[in-house]
Amino acid sequence: MLSSSDFASASWELVVRVDHPNEEEQKDITLRVSGDLHIGGVMLKLVEQINIAQDWSDFALWWEQKHCWLLKTHWTLDKCGVQADAKLVFTPQHKMLRLRLPNMKTVRLRVSFSTVVFRAVSDICRALNIRRAEELSLLKPSGEYFKKKKKKEKNNKEPIIEDILNLEGSPTISGPSVSPGLYSKTMTPTYDPINGTPASSTMTWFSDSPLTEQNCSILAFSQPPQSPEALADMYQARSLADKAKLNAGWLDSSRSLMEQGIQEDEQLLLRFKYYTFFDLNPKYDAVRINQLYEQARWAILLEEIDCTEEEMLIFAALQYHISKLSLSTEIQDFTNDSEVDEVEAALSNLEVTLEGGKADNTLEDITDIPKLADNLRLFRPKKLILKAFKQYWFVFKDTSIAYFKNKELEQGEPVEKLNLRGCEVVPDVNVAGRKFGIKLLIPVADGMNEVYLRCDHESQYAQWMAACILASKGKTMADSSYQPEVLNILSFLKMKNRNSASQVASGLENMDLNPECFVSPRCAKKHKSKQLAACILEAHQNVAQMPLVEAKLRFIQAWQSLPEFGLTYYLVRFKGSKKDDILGISYNRLIRIDAATGIPITTWRFTNMKQWNVNWEIRQVAIEFDQNVSIAFTCLSADCKVVHEYIGGYIFLSTRSKDQNETLDEDLFHKLTGGQE
């Protein structure tokens, strides 16, 4: 038997600071504990000693020196390694956080600081009614990000708090990463698929979300365009190296906010991190589509992605159209819209859904794989050779293109057969100049083969371009998405064709258009305001009849069609190299880019990747591809974990399918992105 003196010698004093939200100063409480006392017992003793009647269920112990939560309440102090010198804080797990959304609106809500960021983002997205939370993440901006805004706010007498949407009333409650019932396929539509307004009969869907109908409108509708002065203030000409620095701030999805040094009420950016937008559906995704549109809009306006002047005008026309419709939609009463014929609404929804299409001829699709055959011109870039296109007879079947010297030789051996599975398809189009080109980057062992095809007219281009896009994903023209893809390309070409525009808008419309709000500051400087307004209104005629949500989806599609779309840059040093390079990471490939010239050197496809790992001691990422190709690099502009997570994240997202009922394998995500650190 142990005497009381023996027991006393085995126990020791532990000081715990209590972070009580109702009191300004934190109090230190001394407990007498022993090493075999479990964490739950420590918290029980604490609550008894504090002796304040309140709900303590959200509180947990945070170990300051080790920078970790003690959440396993059945573990003993000895097992956790806690001794008398440990600095523990008894603090709430859910704290306030300010999030700057893609539409530049700030929301303030209660977020879990103890669960991993992957799950915290899932809870945030549920609160904001954004599906597919795995596509988003939190970005900690560099210190310069908010500086310019603060200068502007000094001159502004209005309190800053007015710009913040406060959702403090309903905390985000941790649960499964996606509740299957919440987004089931049989769910009643939450939004009008034409104008994106909340369907009032289904607003009960927000019962577990702090969003009221009014708040939902703030997130689902486009914000009024910024003034040209504000745009100029935010704009910064950025090199690839500058863009690489911006991407350093992505938080680690496998660790909690607290473990990454995030403070209560700190401001973070909520952004679409992975550029694979799965199953965009206007019936459920008004907030998601709008935030995606806003992220694309700001990327264009601030020139975070390059586009031609012709494309800039299309983006401007769509922005102007969306801005006008958003204003009129907010004013009118939606109760009158119930008269819209249901079949008509369903058809409109089919037209604007980004993925999928009609599957009327299922039997025909299975038994008959269509082919394309036509005269096209081809060019292969080689050094010291001028760009000369040569005509051949092309046949597109399955996922391959074969070309022959002429039509009569089609039954014989082709000059060459190109397998497009896993290739990269880039549009090379200038509608005004009647140039309809397709640039193909076909993967080979040491990088990519470049091939240019030239079509004669719009419909030929749309058919071949759609076939190439599907083939790159391993699909044939028998797939139900082929015809919608052709129509999408044709409608995009029509938007670019300013000559087909009907009469220019009336003087009244001219008056409410401030063209500098809809183009990048650099583009605005090149043109006179009246000239720019005329060009935007001319381009607007091609989109003037589009409903609001379709216009946003078209904007997103146009953004996706830009050659640089979806590339995230990092500054790296490849093994064996003496100079720094830029690594571009996309949803399907890695690109090594010359940091000085911006010219791509080599491309590696994820489909050819066999394995990748991280040497945590020297912080080096090593990747092995097919045909004995291997690369290794150290990351200079960010932690190598950030780059590793990007690669693993894209591979994880490629495993999603519509049959999964939208539940995610979170363990698989952490396995692919964690790197077994």
Side-chain angles (χ1 to χ4, degrees), residues 100 106 140-151 153 267-269:
R100 175 74 67 85
T106 301
K140 185 174 182 176
S142 61
E144 301 161 14
Y145 184 84
F146 296 112
K147 274 183 185 174
K148 284 193 173 183
K149 190 162 181 9
K150 281 177 183 170
K151 279 182 195 172
E153 280 163 354
Q267 185 148 354
L268 299 176
L269 311 181

Side-chain angles (χ1 to χ4, degrees), residues 73-93:
T73 52
H74 59 286
W75 278 27
T76 62
L77 292 173
D78 281 346
K79 191 172 182 180
C80 293
V82 174
Q83 295 176 336
D85 60 348
K87 290 181 180 176
L88 301 185
V89 184
F90 192 47
T91 185
Q93 295 175 65

Side-chain angles (χ1 to χ4, degrees), residues 124 151 192 244 316 331 372 414 479 498 520 532 586 630 638 677:
I124 289 164
K151 279 182 195 172
D192 183 313
I331 294 160
L372 285 174
D479 192 88
R498 304 212 318 259
S520 71
L532 201 55
S586 179
S630 58
E677 191 172 358

Side-chain angles (χ1 to χ4, degrees), residues 363-376:
L363 192 63
E364 189 185 317
D365 285 358
I366 295 166
T367 56
D368 178 40
I369 293 176
K371 75 171 187 179
L372 285 174
D374 212 339
N375 282 311
L376 302 177

Side-chain angles (χ1 to χ4, degrees), residues 421-465:
R421 193 183 285 264
C423 83
E424 192 177 333
V425 185
V426 181
D428 182 24
V429 175
N430 183 331
V431 178
R434 306 300 296 161
K435 177 176 126 184
F436 303 102
I438 301 169
K439 180 180 170 185
L440 299 172
L441 296 168
I442 299 162
V444 289
D446 59 343
M448 306 292 263
N449 270 345
E450 221 173 302
V451 177
Y452 288 83
L453 303 182
R454 186 65 66 82
C455 302
D456 294 325
H457 49 79
E458 286 97 330
S459 69
Q460 187 188 49
Y461 168 79
Q463 289 177 324
W464 285 82
M465 184 67 175

